[in-house]
Amino acid sequence: MASSLHRPSAVNVAALALGLAFLYLPIVILVIYSFNASRLVTVWGGWSLKWYRELFNDGAMLSAAWMSLRVGVASASAATLLGTLAAVALSRGGRFRGRTLFSGMLYAPLVMPEVITGLSLLLLFVATNAGRGFWTVTIAHTTLTMCFVTLVVQARLNGLDRSLEEAAMDLGCSPARAFASVTLPLIWPSIAAGWMLAFTLSLDDLVIASFTTGPGSSTLPIRIYSEVRLGVKPEINAICTLIVAFVAMVIVAASLASKLSNDRGENAAPL
């Protein structure tokens, strides 16, 4: 009787299958057609690595991919640093003066349309006579992703037992040392998760980057969008497949690192 209660119904199985197909079937089709020998993406011409070879000979596409990776790493690192500091201020700073204004400005990119954010940043860079390129895109992506890091880290900080930090300070630690020795190791997984989220959002952004980029510094989404307007090239399937594989490897590595960290913590607990 108990086993039948936990057995999924046919409706649940069908809903799960349809949901997974909706999410992942387009990606599977993209990966399969990246090995298509035919130039026409709607016609299967057999298995081939032709378009991967074409991709590695396409300097413009590789340059755009390298630009996106550099912007993603730089903006995610800056957003993680600033977002973590903002989360600590909101979670541990108490009701300081200007807190409402600070949090409102911090979380504004969450609800602000990207077109408005991109246009406002463009006007800022034009007013300051800043040459648009790598650094302007990095600053724009940092502005966009910092609020997401703050949300992730602040949620973790709010769930921590503050008595651990208080105990460390009772034993003679300064607040800074208590944070570095006690709080930081506990929130490190959320900081890493915030970095990965910021990197993914930066890698995926098209609208804000199109406002803040300049000649010779196009990111990969801008390059792909400009190519797709003239027709889908099989090279685009190839580079998208490589990005999917890269992101999958990062997720697997992060999951394994988290599992190893949890296992070490469980093994160390009895001591």
Side-chain angles (χ1 to χ4, degrees):
M1 183 68 176
S3 61
S4 63
L5 293 177
H6 295 287
R7 186 178 302 167
S9 66
V11 175
N12 292 336
V13 173
L16 178 62
L18 289 174
L20 292 176
F22 178 79
L23 291 174
Y24 296 108
L25 187 59
I27 298 177
V28 172
I29 294 174
L30 181 145
V31 171
I32 291 174
Y33 272 87
S34 70
F35 298 98
N36 185 13
S38 173
R39 172 172 285 277
L40 300 176
V41 294
T42 57
V43 178
W44 180 254
W47 297 94
S48 175
L49 295 175
K50 171 183 177 180
W51 302 113
Y52 287 90
R53 292 192 293 268
E54 293 286 338
L55 171 64
F56 288 114
N57 291 325
D58 190 341
M61 188 71 76
L62 293 179
S63 176
W66 177 237
M67 176 74 175
S68 286
L69 288 176
R70 289 191 297 131
V71 169
V73 171
S75 63
S77 300
T80 301
L81 176 61
L82 297 175
T84 301
L85 294 176
V88 172
L90 292 173
S91 180
R92 297 293 188 262
R95 303 296 302 181
F96 58 87
R97 186 176 183 181
R99 175 189 171 93
T100 302
L101 178 62
F102 174 71
S103 60
M105 294 180 64
L106 180 65
Y107 294 134
L110 284 173
V111 295
M112 191 78 66
E114 290 190 2
V115 173
I116 296 177
T117 302
L119 180 59
S120 61
L121 288 169
L122 172 62
L123 294 176
L124 172 65
F125 295 141
V126 170
T128 57
N129 200 25
R132 281 172 287 163
F134 171 80
W135 289 111
T136 54
V137 179
T138 299
I139 293 171
H141 283 184
T142 302
T143 304
L144 172 68
T145 59
M146 185 176 65
C147 55
F148 293 93
V149 178
T150 304
L151 276 177
V152 174
V153 178
Q154 186 181 2
R156 177 58 177 160
L157 281 170
N158 291 338
L160 287 181
D161 186 0
R162 297 196 63 174
S163 62
L164 298 174
E165 303 171 23
E166 294 170 355
M169 288 187 284
D170 288 341
L171 293 174
C173 288
S174 63
R177 186 175 179 184
F179 175 81
S181 302
V182 178
T183 308
L184 188 59
L186 293 175
I187 66 173
W188 183 250
S190 63
I191 294 176
W195 188 94
M196 291 180 62
L197 178 60
F199 177 78
T200 303
L201 291 172
S202 173
L203 199 65
D204 180 62
D205 176 69
L206 170 65
V207 177
I208 293 179
S210 64
F211 279 98
T212 56
T213 191
S217 56
S218 296
T219 60
L220 186 59
I222 295 176
R223 182 69 186 181
I224 291 176
Y225 178 71
S226 63
E227 295 274 355
V228 167
R229 287 188 300 173
L230 302 176
V232 179
K233 295 170 58 178
E235 290 179 37
I236 297 176
N237 293 338
I239 195 166
C240 290
T241 299
L242 293 177
I243 292 174
V244 169
F246 172 75
V247 172
M249 288 189 294
V250 171
I251 293 174
V252 170
S255 300
L256 291 176
S258 177
K259 186 177 184 302
L260 290 174
S261 177
N262 292 336
D263 291 342
R264 289 173 182 173
E266 292 175 0
N267 294 332
L271 298 178

